[in-house]
Amino acid sequence: MKKIIPLLFCLIIGISMVFQFFIPHPVSTKLNTTINKWVVVLSAFALVLGIGNLTSHHITMIKRKKSDWGYSLVTLLSMFGMAIIGLFFGIDEKSLYQKIYLNILTPLGATMFALLAYYMTSAAYRAFRTRSLEAGLLLGAAFVVMIGFMPIGQFIHPYFPGFAEWLMRIPNMASQRGILLGVAFGSVATALKIILGIERSWLGGKE
Amino acid sequence: MKFFYALTRIDRRLIYLVLTVLVILPFFLKFSIPQNIMPQTKKLFDFIERLSPDDNKAVLVSIDYTPQTMPECHPMAISILTHCFKKKIPVLGVSFDPQAPGLAIEAFNTVIKNLNAQAKTYSDSIIYGRDYVYLGWKSGRIAALMEMGEKISNVFPRDYYNNYTDSLPLMERIKNYRDVSIAIILAAADYPQEWLMYAQARYGLKLGAGLTAVMAPKYYPFLQTGQLSGMMSGMKGAAEYENLLLTAGYTEETGKAEIGMNSQTLIHLLIIILIIIGNIGYMATRKQSVKRQNG
């Protein structure tokens, strides 16, 4: 029974949502609206669950004084600190919340991402070697795209921007489309397996 | 041979130092490299250029980038908002990434402060609720995207500032996607694909995108099919849009993307030079090592 009810529920909702997509009738639209509202509310509960899990995990880390438990303390203080500031002092443009966000979180995030430039430059120098024909082709394509997309590419040779754009529009697009189609067919197959109850791992448990 | 071997073993600290200098240099030495405008950026610009306030429709801007990708995507938001407001096209802002609202508010404030400083009359000014609305963030992205096609205030009963959405003058005429001329998604994640699947496939909403350079290649198929009406690709796309605004007379100077693009160009040149140096060293030493193995 513990399995049959969720499976039946999944089957009915799954099939009705598939059919309602193609039926532009007020009843179908109403069903869609109601279910969409439920999903929005349910995903808000998922957020609560996430915060709960994060909190309990980091409290355990602090209690047991596991290695780097100080970071757990920082995580909890930051999370609850921001939540309290936002809840009690507002989130508009002049608020403390927005000031902390713009002056602490934003530069920290941008700095972390900016470090990638160092790693990428160093890695490109060390790893980008023409060890085989395939590596040579990849290197050539990367060169053309990089030079073509640079503003000075047009001055190195007027054909560079056009060739770079062609690489993106034709070979890149063809391979991307192939990947997208593969993913789409895979998603349809997985969705069907879930709706029809063939794939049951989402139910959890081992019974 | 020692020379070629040295080419393959440049100290990474030296690389980091040169990189740092090249990133910082354009901020002090102001120079401009003419941009070659990519067709997808021009298409997006032309789409907004064709819009008129008489259409009685808004441009929906979904600001979904995070602080990490702010240098690439924030100038896009500034340019799109400037373009729309200069053309008196109302803007509806929304976010589906929880990190994004702070940056969305910052983008709106930057543009509005700048434009209102130049405004001479009340009607010239950009007023919240009349000319733009920021709805804020909502969880359950896919369901929210679908429901906004029926009624936006069903998903956002209150805006970011806690006003009742239906009470705002702009929202009296913007009810759902039928009242939106184009939705432009500025993101560093796969959000545009969900807009394509749920908002466009079902409701026929026209879409444009502003993506990080890493994300952009994935969206070329959608440009070719016309599902995306235009796209800004990375910092280059943002710099191109800034240049288009400048050429069209909407702004008097280019913005941060142009300066960032100068740094990026120098770094790309450095990467190209390093790869060439590394390969010369590799080729020369490989021949030697093959000889040693054989002999």
Side-chain angles (χ1 to χ4, degrees), chain B residues 52-94:
Chain B
S52 156
D54 300 332
D55 299 342
N56 234 358
K57 287 185 174 185
V59 167
L60 195 154
V61 183
S62 184
I63 298 181
D64 289 317
Y65 54 88
T66 57
Q68 292 84 348
T69 49
M70 185 188 174
E72 275 187 285
C73 298
H74 204 59
M76 295 177 188
I78 302 280
S79 294
I80 291 288
L81 294 176
T82 305
H83 196 185
C84 292
F85 288 139
K86 282 270 185 177
K87 284 186 65 70
K88 296 280 170 202
I89 312 279
V91 174
L92 200 59
V94 67

Side-chain angles (χ1 to χ4, degrees), chain A residues 20-21 29 33 43 91 93 98 101 106 113 118 125-126 128 130-131 149 151 154 161 165 172 177, chain B residues 7-8 10 20 34 36 38 40 68 70 99 102 109 140 147 150 160-161 202 221 224 236 279 282-283:
Chain A
Q20 75 79 33
F21 191 89
T29 311
T33 299
S43 33
I91 52 169
E93 55 263 37
Q98 180 73 354
Y101 179 84
T106 303
F113 212 64
Y118 289 89
Y125 163 65
R126 275 163 222 290
F128 234 159
T130 43
R131 290 191 172 92
F149 278 17
Q154 58 192 322
E165 185 61 20
N172 164 64
R177 184 163 288 164
Chain B
L7 289 184
T8 63
I10 298 175
T20 307
N36 51 318
M38 292 288 168
Q40 60 267 28
Q68 292 84 348
M70 185 188 174
Q99 286 194 73
N109 281 347
E147 190 49 31
E150 303 296 334
Y160 184 76
Y161 301 101
R202 188 175 181 123
Q224 194 259 344
K236 178 170 167 54
N279 275 284
Y282 171 72
M283 298 283 191

Side-chain angles (χ1 to χ4, degrees), chain B residues 18-51:
Chain B
V18 176
L19 188 79
T20 307
V21 172
L22 291 181
V23 169
I24 295 169
L25 208 62
F27 289 89
F28 295 102
L29 296 174
K30 290 215 167 171
F31 59 92
S32 182
I33 308 166
Q35 296 287 336
N36 51 318
I37 311 291
M38 292 288 168
Q40 60 267 28
T41 314
K42 184 77 171 63
K43 271 174 81 179
L44 186 61
F45 179 85
D46 289 343
F47 191 100
I48 296 181
E49 194 61 9
R50 282 195 299 273
L51 300 178

Side-chain angles (χ1 to χ4, degrees), chain A residues 134-148:
Chain A
E134 289 86 350
L137 282 173
L138 189 68
L139 190 66
F143 257 56
V144 171
V145 172
M146 242 197 296
I147 295 172

Side-chain angles (χ1 to χ4, degrees), chain B residues 113-275:
Chain B
K113 208 173 154 186
N114 183 26
L115 294 181
N116 282 351
Q118 298 164 15
K120 288 173 185 144
T121 61
Y122 181 75
S123 62
D124 275 352
S125 307
I126 308 297
I127 309 292
Y128 188 80
R130 185 192 72 181
D131 301 306
Y132 78 101
V133 167
Y134 179 59
L135 296 168
W137 172 77
K138 186 63 74 175
S139 61
R141 191 168 59 246
I142 292 169
L145 282 180
M146 288 204 282
E147 190 49 31
M148 279 168 73
E150 303 296 334
K151 200 175 177 200
I152 292 169
S153 62
N154 274 353
V155 182
F156 292 95
R158 286 172 186 255
D159 68 356
Y160 184 76
Y161 301 101
N162 222 17
N163 304 304
Y164 282 103
T165 309
D166 282 332
S167 72
L168 298 165
L170 177 63
M171 298 310 288
E172 282 172 17
R173 51 197 171 102
I174 311 298
K175 297 288 180 199
N176 54 33
Y177 292 148
R178 275 192 293 273
D179 306 314
V180 173
S181 44
I182 186 169
I184 298 168
I185 299 97
L186 306 175
D190 236 352
Y191 298 130
Q193 202 168 333
E194 286 165 2
W195 282 87
L196 283 159
M197 285 194 289
Y198 301 105
Q200 185 170 80
R202 188 175 181 123
Y203 297 100
L205 178 67
K206 291 213 175 292
L207 293 174
L211 303 163
T212 52
V214 182
M215 291 291 303
K218 192 178 171 185
Y219 285 88
Y220 272 79
F222 300 109
L223 274 172
Q224 194 259 344
T225 54
Q227 285 167 282
L228 279 182
S229 302
M231 178 172 83
M232 282 180 281
S233 162
M235 195 175 275
K236 178 170 167 54
E240 286 169 5
Y241 210 97
E242 283 178 0
N243 275 278
L244 286 166
L245 287 178
L246 181 74
T247 314
Y250 289 114
T251 53
E252 285 164 8
E253 56 183 4
T254 50
K256 285 185 176 170
E258 178 79 8
I259 303 170
M261 204 51 212
N262 291 341
S263 298
Q264 193 171 296
T265 302
L266 293 179
I267 294 163
H268 280 178
L269 276 176
L270 173 72
I271 293 174
I272 289 170
I273 291 166
L274 283 172
I275 292 173

